[in-house]
Amino acid sequence: MDNTMFGRLLREARQRSLMTMEGLAEASGVSGRAISDMERGQSLPRPSTLSELMDALALGDDERRRLADAAARRPARSVIPRQLPPDLMVFRGRTAALAEIDRRTEPRGHTVIAAIVGMAGIGKTTLAVHWAHQVADRFPDGQLYVDCRGFDATDSPLDPGAVLAGFLRALGVPSHGIPDGTERRGQLFRELSASRRLIVVLDNARDSAQVRPLLPGSAGSLTLVTSRNQLSALAAVEGASVLNLDVWTPDEACAALAARIGERRCRAEPEAAAELVALCGLLPLAVAVVGAQLGAVPRLPLRLAVAELRATQPRLDGLTTDDLRVDVRVAFSCSYRTLDDATARFFRHLVRHPGPLVSTEAAAALAAVELPQARRHLRALTAAGLISRDADGHHVLHDLVRAYGGELAE
């Protein structure tokens, strides 16, 4: 616990007692300047001074214990959280994306917020964790990480208040020193982080509202968010820099497959390896699933794996695992479940389009709705990460998303 915690507790106790700073000074015999310094986190009281303050405030046993505990501790700068997940040994590619994150997160004299957004399975978490490990030495006061469960197969999105409680504990605040309510916890988190240089990774965020209370209060800190949501509100209000992540290039996908099943195996059948990753739509999650399957059968020729995946119907049956967190169909379903009924119905019509590029007019015709309705539904699908936009303004349906939608339509 540090001076800031004691100051906050003292100020709250004084306010609950309906006393001004001058009134507390008169009742306790402690100077108003000393009380002001304590409330602003500039100093801690001696035991005799603390006793006089608590008597003047007529505190109960629980409040006395909390204040005494806060006053007995010195700044907990030795508490340095190291919460980043491991960096994957099989990470490959993303050279351009890493360089772009570097550019967008250059220190600017204020809190930097960067967001990596994109469809399910596109590798947002892997990229964010890899980059955070690369720059961790720039943030000597530690790394905070949380999976916000914004799009999760088994759990609801985490409440920001619960996330803040975890962050406060990681920064050395004991459980009984964590205030009630998201707003008060956020205030304390910003106070504790104000003098620190932290990197905060908010992974799998549902939307801007979930992220906003979790932002640190230091100009030397950096927040990195990942989400399927476009986080437009975070960009508009908090000035977040948003990077839209695309699928791998064919070379990146082949390199990633080789990292999982062996360079020699891919070099022996380069055409089959290229066709495998193409059948995966160059989607990192799909390539990872196929790589895991092939790793379990090291003698299986890649050409046979291609034939089996081509013959699998529905296609997504070939991209499943026994873990819901790494199942392509389940990943898409987590996005689909966030849609309202009308947008979900619109999506099921949209996937009937024969190609990957869809104009707004064609989408409206497929779903038999007016253009204004079509635009609203398309914005909602983009926000959920089920479609994207290209440089010409067309709406883009990934092959595997279209396969998933086809299953729903049937």
Side-chain angles (χ1 to χ4, degrees), residues 246 350-363 366 378 387-399 402:
D246 203 350
L350 184 67
V351 296
R352 293 160 45 206
H353 192 273
L357 303 181
V358 189
S359 67
T360 302
E361 292 76 13
L366 282 168
L378 289 167
I387 63 174
S388 58
R389 301 290 296 275
D390 68 7
D392 296 320
H394 290 107
H395 302 277
V396 182
L397 266 170
H398 188 276
D399 287 347
R402 195 160 69 249

Side-chain angles (χ1 to χ4, degrees), residues 99-368:
E100 185 64 17
I101 299 173
D102 281 335
R103 186 186 68 79
R104 295 177 183 226
T105 55
E106 293 175 355
R108 297 180 177 88
H110 55 77
T111 301
V112 176
I113 307 166
I116 302 171
V117 302
M119 66 181 288
I122 208 161
K124 301 178 294 292
T125 298
T126 304
L127 176 62
V129 170
H130 179 77
W131 184 84
H133 275 286
Q134 286 188 324
V135 301
D137 58 353
R138 285 168 38 190
F139 303 92
D141 295 313
Q143 313 106 33
L144 295 171
Y145 170 90
V146 65
D147 178 355
C148 296
R149 300 178 189 165
F151 299 84
D152 194 275
T154 58
D155 291 306
S156 301
L158 284 181
D159 177 74
V163 176
L164 286 167
F167 283 174
L168 292 173
R169 280 190 288 269
L171 293 173
V173 179
S175 296
H176 62 77
I178 296 175
D180 296 329
T182 299
E183 184 174 348
R184 293 174 63 198
R185 290 176 181 180
Q187 180 183 2
L188 178 57
F189 175 58
R190 289 188 293 274
E191 290 175 357
L192 293 179
S193 62
S195 60
R196 289 174 162 88
R197 293 172 60 193
L198 297 163
I199 181 168
V200 181
V201 180
L202 307 175
D203 189 24
N204 192 20
R206 180 60 172 263
D207 51 30
S208 300
Q210 187 187 33
V211 169
R212 194 168 285 118
L214 309 178
L215 302 175
S218 166
S221 292
L222 182 146
T223 304
L224 186 59
V225 188
T226 74
S227 181
R228 302 180 193 184
N229 188 290
Q230 296 296 298
L231 301 178
S232 301
L234 196 70
V237 179
E238 278 73 29
S241 179
V242 179
L243 171 66
N244 277 277
L245 196 61
D246 203 350
V247 294
W248 273 327
T249 65
D251 286 345
E252 287 177 327
C254 286
L257 180 65
R260 292 180 178 274
I261 68 173
E263 294 277 356
R264 180 178 299 179
R265 198 171 176 189
C266 287
R267 283 199 302 267
E269 298 182 83
E271 293 181 357
E275 189 169 359
L276 266 178
V277 299
L279 289 171
C280 292
L282 305 179
L283 187 69
L285 177 60
V287 174
V289 170
V290 167
Q293 294 169 347
L294 290 171
V297 283
R299 295 184 179 180
L300 181 72
L302 298 188
R303 57 182 175 79
L304 293 184
V306 169
E308 289 179 4
L309 188 54
R310 276 193 172 281
T312 301
Q313 293 297 328
R315 171 68 56 81
L316 297 184
D317 280 357
L319 301 171
T320 61
T321 72
D322 56 1
D323 187 337
L324 296 180
R325 295 171 301 174
V326 284
D327 185 297
V328 174
R329 180 185 286 112
V330 172
F332 294 155
S333 74
C334 292
S335 295
Y336 179 76
R337 288 203 307 268
T338 68
L339 305 176
D340 61 43
D341 290 343
T343 303
R345 188 181 310 113
F346 181 88
F347 174 70
R348 295 193 298 272
H349 285 293
L350 184 67
V351 296
R352 293 160 45 206
H353 192 273
L357 303 181
V358 189
S359 67
T360 302
E361 292 76 13
L366 282 168

